[in-house]
Amino acid sequence: MTATQDSGQDDLVVAELKELGLEHEIVPCDPALADTAAFCEAYGYSPDDSANAIVVVGKSEPPRFVMCLALASTRLDVNKAVRKRLGVRKCSFASADQTRELTGMEIGGVTPFGTSIPLELWIDGAVMERERLIIGGGSRDRKLLVPPSTLARHPRAEVIDGLASPVEGA
């Protein structure tokens, strides 16, 4: 059963969630407050309950892209864990332009659902320990509130322990 408050916005993100029958709730937000830290502060969400979708590019020929999902209170281990799993010598965060091209979404609104190009989704194991998560909603004017089971049922999802590590002092 799908719980939504989507005010009629039946775009690619919502369409994929509905097609897969995944539980989600649309949470409207001010686009100026879409970046994770600002959103959490303004709307009262903990960074421990917020997950960032981050596109990473493996420097190979051709380049290999993957979307990673990690709690906002952690740091994605791009230089070791992600690079090793990608099987490349170097990798980095995708640029805003690359992210937009691959997902059709702006930074601050990126979500694993409804992307322009299908991407593998690597979910840090700590994400799955939360009761509910706030994630990007496909645009800067909304977020999605989902249980971890919604993320695990993404068609290209893989849960990986140790993909991210806690940020000191967070």
Side-chain angles (χ1 to χ4, degrees), residues 53-137:
I54 303 162
V55 178
V56 176
V57 57
K59 311 281 179 141
S60 60
E61 201 49 56
R64 182 165 174 213
F65 293 92
V66 64
M67 182 178 288
C68 298
L69 198 68
L71 296 175
S73 58
T74 65
R75 179 170 288 123
L76 188 62
D77 185 0
V78 176
N79 293 319
K80 290 184 185 167
V82 177
R83 180 185 57 76
K84 184 176 178 182
R85 287 194 67 82
L86 280 171
V88 296
R89 292 175 50 115
K90 292 184 180 182
C91 69
S92 65
F93 296 110
S95 69
D97 288 340
Q98 288 173 315
T99 298
R100 189 179 316 103
E101 182 179 326
L102 293 165
T103 66
M105 303 168 205
E106 298 292 329
I107 301 294
V110 178
T111 190
F113 301 98
T115 58
S116 302
I117 295 172
L119 293 169
E120 291 178 69
L121 174 62
W122 295 351
I123 304 168
D124 181 59
V127 169
M128 303 308 290
E129 297 171 9
R130 308 310 300 174
E131 186 174 321
R132 291 186 67 78
L133 296 144
I134 195 84
I135 64 173

Side-chain angles (χ1 to χ4, degrees), residues 38-58:
F39 177 86
C40 288
E41 185 175 330
Y43 293 95
Y45 288 90
S46 167
D48 288 331
D49 293 322
S50 178
N52 291 320
I54 303 162
V55 178
V56 176
V57 57

